[in-house]
Amino acid sequence: MKIEGKVATIIYKNNTNNYTVVLIKTDDDYITAVGETHELEVGDQIELEGIFDSHKTYGEQFKFSTYSKSMPKDTLALIQYISDNIKGIGKKTATNIVNEFGDDTVDVIRYSPDKLKCIKGLNEEKINFMSEYFNIEWDKWNVISYLSKFNISVVTANRIYQNLGKDTINIVETNPYSLLYFVKTLEFTAVDSIGQKLGLPLDSEARVSAGIQYALSQITDFGHTCVELDVLTEYSSDMLKVSKEVILNSLISLKLDEKVYMEEIEDTEYVFRRSFYLAEKNIAECVTRYSQKNIKKKNYDKEIENVSEQQSLVLSDEQKNAISTCLNSSLSIITGGPGTGKTTIIKCIIDILSYIGKTYVLCAPTGRAAKRITQTTGKEAKTLHRLLEITKLDDKDLDMFLNYTVKNIEADVLIVDESSMIDCLMMNNILKALNASTQIIFVGDVNQLPSVGPGSVLKDIIDSKVINTVYLNQIYRQSSKSDIILNAHKVNSGEYPDFKSKDTDLYYINTDSVDDTISEIRSLLSYRLENFAKLDIIRDVQILTPMKKNELGTIELNKSIQNVLNPKSSKKKQKEYGGRIYREGDKVMQIVNNYDKKFSHEGVDIEGIYNGDIGYIEKIDLEYEYLIVRYDDNKQVDYSFEELDELEHAYAVTIHKSQGSEFDYVIIPLFNRYPKLFTRNLLYTAMTRAKKMLILVGSRNTINYMVDNIEEKKRKTGLKYKIINSL
């Protein structure tokens, strides 16, 4: 249904997601309306489309899906509109304009502005500005009103208008699929609906071209950078309901326009998304240049001996070789599992660099990984986002990320920890930020899960065999006493883990059902762990699970664990949102990158909170509708209630989300079998997250199945091929 009225009051506006609560004065009453708005002001005359809905706290509200502004229809409203929006024109002059031209005022301002010269107080500059403003507003709201017929929100419609201007309607009617290139948040299905309503044929070039690119993005959303031509052709043909011949003809055009790229790898033709292909190409060229650099070799035995004495270390030949190799290479990689001395090597390299007067930068992909390497080395480590000053970014705009202008890294040596987490787009940005003379040291465990984003960059570079790579295999003294580390290496080698009943840091609790598994976890958290060790049960213990859904997924586990660790209390405020209850004291995780989020940290104003950051709800303010989260690195961030979809509870997180992090105590429920998820490297990654204690709860058959299951889906990438062929 539709309602029409004037904006009486803007009760609330969230500037991040544009959610607005507004009081509308209609001819008969005042109505509270809620929805997304753009540039809405008190006094605006608007028409809203939506439904009435009853909110349990705030009563009846009109939830609008779209709205349109209209020029004020009565004299007083028009006077107010002119005086509010046109700089330098007050109510007196605005009244004179309306009195002079009456019902023709808007038309005179838009089409015959010269007639306004008769009004005292108006000069040519003010007249031109007023005419331009009225025409822009008219065009914009005409476009927004037109797009609303296709269920395009006002905020999205405004983004479209900002890109296409007053020609928007003509462009949409000529080729609605062009919208996908201007507004990356639009889905193909929404635009295809417009195309079908406008009567475009299924095999129109515009539709097929856009559909192929959408299909390619769908297929490569699982970490691939490319897909076999035959697979893409068949998938696109089925999705678009056109022949394979039509798809192949369109692919030729897309290739010629460099919107997709094709490459033959081992006798198979692959199709790449533009950004992924160019990122891999840039990485390959950079890696090749580094591999061909002639760096003057130096004997660092004396420096290594001095550092080992200062740190009271007895370094193995393997560690000494790693240090020397890295210092004598333009680009090098250190890879090894837990307990193999990666951190010790980094500390020694840092100390030697300081001793010989070379500058260095230490960094990691995530906040938790950066914090961990800072704690273990005693030296500051930055996140890649902070280091490269990546802030304003649309996560869906891959071309923007490919061409992002990053800050140059001014250092003699760059050391990147947890490098297995770096995808091809981020690696491209790292490499283009470096000076030609900067040495690079990548450190990581290549046997862990690949990056969340596209590619398997570290593995591909190693497999190309053109870069000096140090493989660490020896487990060192203290680590060799850890059953966690010993058994993680066994799992990685394809052996079943051994479990002891005492004098161990690795425990196994056998269960016969999902309910038993949940019951054991609840009792561990309720009292057993606290009786066993001195710990903060919420902060020190982390549940890691392979999945989000079902009884042992993060969604259900978080509800269950919240009731154990942070139950409802009259002393704690809470807010229900999106099916979750957020309560003071809750452990939560940021689940999307929010580059615009502003907060102050140690007296410095900062922008950006990132996917995977874990914190704790410190305060909930029900009156002003916001809460405060204090993150592990002590930064304090405010969230309006309408931003709570950016937060999830983090008592239990997926193993994928735990990459780059370590936790003192880890519990892993493993009962159900899901062949696509339950793989060896998933179990290995989960086990290596635990520092002090690891508890596996579930079925021994499930654990053994995971050790045996190496059928993980191999990512399709072209980086290794590009490196080898660029030599």
Side-chain angles (χ1 to χ4, degrees):
M1 65 178 297
K2 294 181 179 180
I3 64 169
E4 188 175 346
K6 185 188 294 185
V7 177
T9 306
I10 296 175
I11 299 169
Y12 171 79
K13 174 73 180 282
N14 183 322
N15 291 321
T16 301
N17 59 18
N18 298 293
Y19 177 85
T20 308
V21 181
V22 60
L23 188 66
I24 305 296
K25 183 182 185 303
T26 67
D27 291 338
D28 305 317
D29 201 359
Y30 284 89
I31 295 173
T32 301
V34 296
E36 289 186 4
T37 67
H38 172 76
E39 294 182 354
L40 195 65
E41 296 181 357
V42 172
D44 284 346
Q45 192 77 25
I46 61 174
E47 185 180 89
L48 306 100
E49 187 169 341
I51 59 170
F52 278 101
D53 184 47
S54 182
H55 191 284
K56 66 180 182 180
T57 303
Y58 303 111
E60 189 175 61
Q61 299 176 331
F62 187 77
K63 294 178 70 174
F64 59 91
S65 55
T66 187
Y67 71 96
S68 59
K69 279 188 185 181
S70 55
M71 288 296 175
K73 295 179 179 178
D74 61 77
T75 299
L76 291 177
L78 185 54
I79 291 170
Q80 188 69 45
Y81 183 84
I82 293 171
S83 60
D84 283 348
N85 291 286
I86 310 303
K87 186 178 179 181
I89 297 181
K91 276 194 174 182
K92 183 178 179 181
T93 304
T95 301
N96 291 338
I97 295 170
V98 175
N99 287 343
E100 177 70 25
F101 299 105
D103 293 342
D104 296 327
T105 299
V106 174
D107 285 343
V108 168
I109 294 171
R110 291 190 65 209
Y111 305 120
S112 307
D114 285 348
K115 292 182 180 180
L116 294 167
K117 291 178 180 178
C118 68
I119 303 298
K120 185 179 179 181
L122 289 184
N123 57 31
E124 189 171 352
E125 182 181 353
K126 291 179 182 178
I127 291 170
N128 289 339
F129 177 80
M130 181 161 50
S131 180
E132 184 179 357
Y133 180 84
F134 267 66
N135 279 308
I136 289 173
E137 286 296 293
W138 181 278
D139 289 336
K140 179 169 69 175
W141 288 101
N142 188 37
V143 165
I144 289 171
S145 179
Y146 171 80
L147 291 173
S148 71
K149 293 186 296 186
F150 302 107
N151 298 317
I152 302 293
S153 73
V154 173
V155 174
T156 302
N158 182 66
R159 288 198 197 107
I160 294 170
Y161 177 81
Q162 295 302 322
N163 281 286
L164 302 179
K166 63 182 181 180
D167 293 329
T168 299
I169 295 174
N170 181 52
I171 291 170
V172 169
E173 292 186 341
T174 303
N175 177 14
Y177 299 96
S178 63
L179 295 176
L180 293 165
Y181 308 123
F182 296 105
V183 182
K184 301 299 182 180
T185 53
L186 278 174
E187 292 288 341
F188 172 80
T189 49
V191 176
D192 197 34
S193 175
I194 298 175
Q196 298 311 297
K197 287 178 182 177
L198 292 173
L200 269 69
L202 293 180
D203 62 353
S204 71
E205 176 57 29
R207 178 177 185 266
V208 175
S209 172
I212 290 171
Q213 292 177 82
Y214 173 75
L216 185 57
S217 71
Q218 291 291 100
I219 295 170
T220 54
D221 265 350
F222 297 98
H224 308 295
T225 62
C226 57
V227 61
E228 297 94 331
L229 174 61
D230 290 348
V231 172
L232 177 62
T233 302
E234 185 169 349
Y235 182 85
S236 301
S237 175
D238 290 343
M239 184 187 80
L240 297 172
K241 296 179 174 56
V242 298
S243 69
K244 292 181 181 178
E245 184 181 3
V246 169
I247 299 297
L248 289 169
N249 288 335
S250 184
L251 273 167
I252 292 171
S253 297
L254 287 168
K255 180 182 177 182
L256 290 172
D257 292 339
E258 296 186 346
K259 291 179 179 176
V260 303
Y261 285 78
M262 295 188 192
E263 191 169 61
E264 187 176 306
I265 303 174
E266 296 178 352
D267 300 323
T268 300
E269 191 78 12
Y270 286 87
V271 185
F272 289 77
R273 295 173 76 169
R274 177 180 183 275
S275 297
F276 296 168
Y277 179 88
L278 293 177
E280 285 191 345
K281 181 173 179 288
N282 294 342
I283 295 167
E285 290 173 352
C286 186
V287 168
T288 302
R289 284 198 304 272
Y290 268 93
S291 71
Q292 294 171 344
K293 280 184 182 179
N294 291 320
I295 188 168
K296 188 177 180 181
K297 305 294 182 185
K298 179 181 175 181
N299 188 321
Y300 284 97
D301 289 350
K302 184 177 180 181
E303 287 83 357
I304 292 172
E305 184 180 345
N306 289 339
V307 165
S308 60
E309 287 180 4
Q310 290 168 9
Q311 296 187 15
S312 300
L313 295 171
V314 178
L315 297 174
S316 67
D317 290 341
E318 182 182 69
Q319 289 174 311
K320 292 176 182 178
N321 175 60
I323 296 167
S324 180
T325 298
C326 291
L327 291 171
N328 279 312
S329 301
S330 57
L331 171 58
S332 56
I333 296 172
I334 301 172
T335 184
T340 55
K342 295 190 297 294
T343 303
T344 298
I345 291 168
I346 293 174
K347 289 170 69 175
C348 290
I349 289 173
I350 287 171
D351 285 349
I352 291 172
L353 290 173
S354 298
Y355 177 75
I356 63 177
K358 283 193 174 184
T359 59
Y360 65 87
V361 171
L362 186 60
C363 63
T366 66
R368 292 184 69 86
K371 181 181 179 182
R372 184 174 58 79
I373 195 65
T374 296
Q375 290 172 337
T376 52
T377 63
K379 306 295 182 181
E380 181 191 12
K382 294 183 178 180
T383 65
L384 291 175
H385 281 89
R386 292 268 181 262
L387 178 64
L388 301 174
E389 294 189 356
I390 296 172
T391 53
K392 304 290 183 182
L393 190 64
D394 179 351
D395 283 349
K396 293 199 173 189
D397 193 341
L398 299 178
D399 288 335
M400 178 188 287
F401 199 26
L402 176 75
N403 299 312
Y404 198 92
T405 302
V406 294
K407 182 183 179 183
N408 288 339
I409 299 172
E410 303 292 342
D412 296 319
V413 181
L414 174 69
I415 304 170
V416 189
D417 196 24
E418 295 290 354
S419 296
S420 63
M421 297 178 67
I422 301 172
D423 63 37
C424 71
L425 293 172
M426 181 60 85
M427 182 64 81
N428 174 58
N429 280 312
I430 293 171
L431 295 177
K432 73 184 183 186
L434 295 171
N435 296 323
S437 59
T438 302
Q439 292 174 253
I440 315 170
I441 303 170
F442 290 118
V443 184
D445 186 348
V446 77
N447 292 309
Q448 288 189 24
L449 292 169
S451 58
V452 174
S456 52
V457 180
L458 188 69
K459 184 176 186 302
D460 285 351
I461 295 175
I462 291 173
D463 289 349
S464 72
K465 301 187 185 304
V466 303
I467 294 300
N468 286 330
T469 301
V470 178
Y471 299 88
L472 302 176
N473 298 302
Q474 184 176 340
I475 301 173
Y476 293 95
R477 284 182 303 178
Q478 187 173 351
S479 298
S480 66
K481 299 176 184 177
S482 167
D483 288 321
I484 297 173
I485 290 174
L486 292 174
N487 279 281
H489 283 274
K490 289 186 72 172
V491 166
N492 190 46
S493 300
E495 301 176 49
Y496 300 145
D498 290 327
F499 300 115
K500 301 176 184 176
S501 58
K502 59 181 181 178
D503 298 326
T504 183
D505 55 3
L506 171 61
Y507 295 88
Y508 167 61
I509 299 174
N510 179 63
T511 58
D512 297 320
S513 68
V514 169
D515 288 342
D516 285 349
T517 304
I518 294 171
S519 178
E520 288 288 350
I521 291 172
R522 288 174 66 94
S523 69
L524 283 166
L525 298 173
S526 297
Y527 63 92
R528 286 160 64 186
L529 275 174
E530 286 186 310
N531 290 341
F532 183 86
K534 187 178 180 180
L535 52 80
D536 183 325
I537 198 71
I538 292 181
R539 292 176 180 269
D540 296 339
V541 180
Q542 186 61 58
I543 314 293
L544 300 181
T545 182
M547 57 221 149
K548 294 188 71 173
K549 297 180 180 178
N550 86 19
E551 302 97 319
L552 292 176
T554 56
I555 297 171
E556 293 303 319
L557 280 176
N558 273 314
K559 290 178 182 177
S560 179
I561 297 168
Q562 182 191 40
N563 291 332
V564 173
L565 297 183
N566 194 29
K568 185 176 181 180
S569 168
S570 59
K571 296 179 181 179
K572 295 179 179 180
K573 295 187 181 71
Q574 64 181 45
K575 167 65 181 176
E576 184 176 352
Y577 183 91
R580 298 187 183 95
I581 294 173
Y582 296 88
R583 187 173 294 140
E584 288 177 340
D586 272 343
K587 186 177 187 178
V588 291
M589 175 185 281
Q590 175 81 14
I591 59 170
V592 295
N593 289 329
N594 186 336
Y595 301 94
D596 297 322
K597 194 71 178 168
K598 296 179 176 65
F599 58 93
S600 180
H601 183 224
E602 297 178 353
V604 179
D605 291 332
I606 296 175
E607 284 187 3
I609 187 82
Y610 300 105
N611 190 350
D613 288 350
I614 290 179
Y616 307 87
I617 298 178
E618 198 167 77
K619 175 185 177 182
I620 296 178
D621 192 313
L622 297 174
E623 181 180 358
Y624 292 98
E625 300 190 335
Y626 75 96
L627 57 78
I628 298 173
V629 176
R630 186 174 294 278
Y631 284 92
D632 281 347
D633 53 2
N634 212 34
K635 62 189 176 217
Q636 184 176 295
V637 182
D638 293 359
Y639 291 83
S640 72
F641 285 168
E642 297 307 323
E643 295 175 298
L644 293 182
D645 56 356
E646 295 187 9
L647 293 174
E648 284 182 356
H649 290 100
Y651 300 107
V653 302
T654 62
I655 296 168
H656 282 84
K657 286 280 190 183
S658 73
Q659 284 179 269
S661 302
E662 285 185 343
F663 310 94
D664 285 347
Y665 299 83
V666 170
I667 301 173
I668 307 174
L670 296 171
F671 193 83
N672 308 73
R673 288 188 184 180
Y674 288 85
K676 290 183 179 180
L677 292 175
F678 282 51
T679 59
R680 180 188 296 174
N681 71 338
L682 188 77
L683 178 59
Y684 172 73
T685 300
M687 292 177 71
T688 57
R689 301 306 91 204
K691 290 195 292 185
K692 293 182 179 179
M693 182 185 293
L694 172 63
I695 305 172
L696 301 177
V697 184
S699 160
R700 183 67 198 238
N701 287 337
T702 301
I703 296 168
N704 292 350
Y705 172 85
M706 294 182 77
V707 174
D708 293 336
N709 183 16
I710 58 172
E711 297 300 320
E712 60 192 84
K713 199 152 188 177
K714 188 175 182 296
R715 289 191 171 181
K716 297 177 178 67
T717 68
L719 180 58
K720 173 186 170 183
Y721 173 86
K722 289 181 179 68
I723 294 172
I724 293 171
N725 282 274
S726 63
L727 291 171

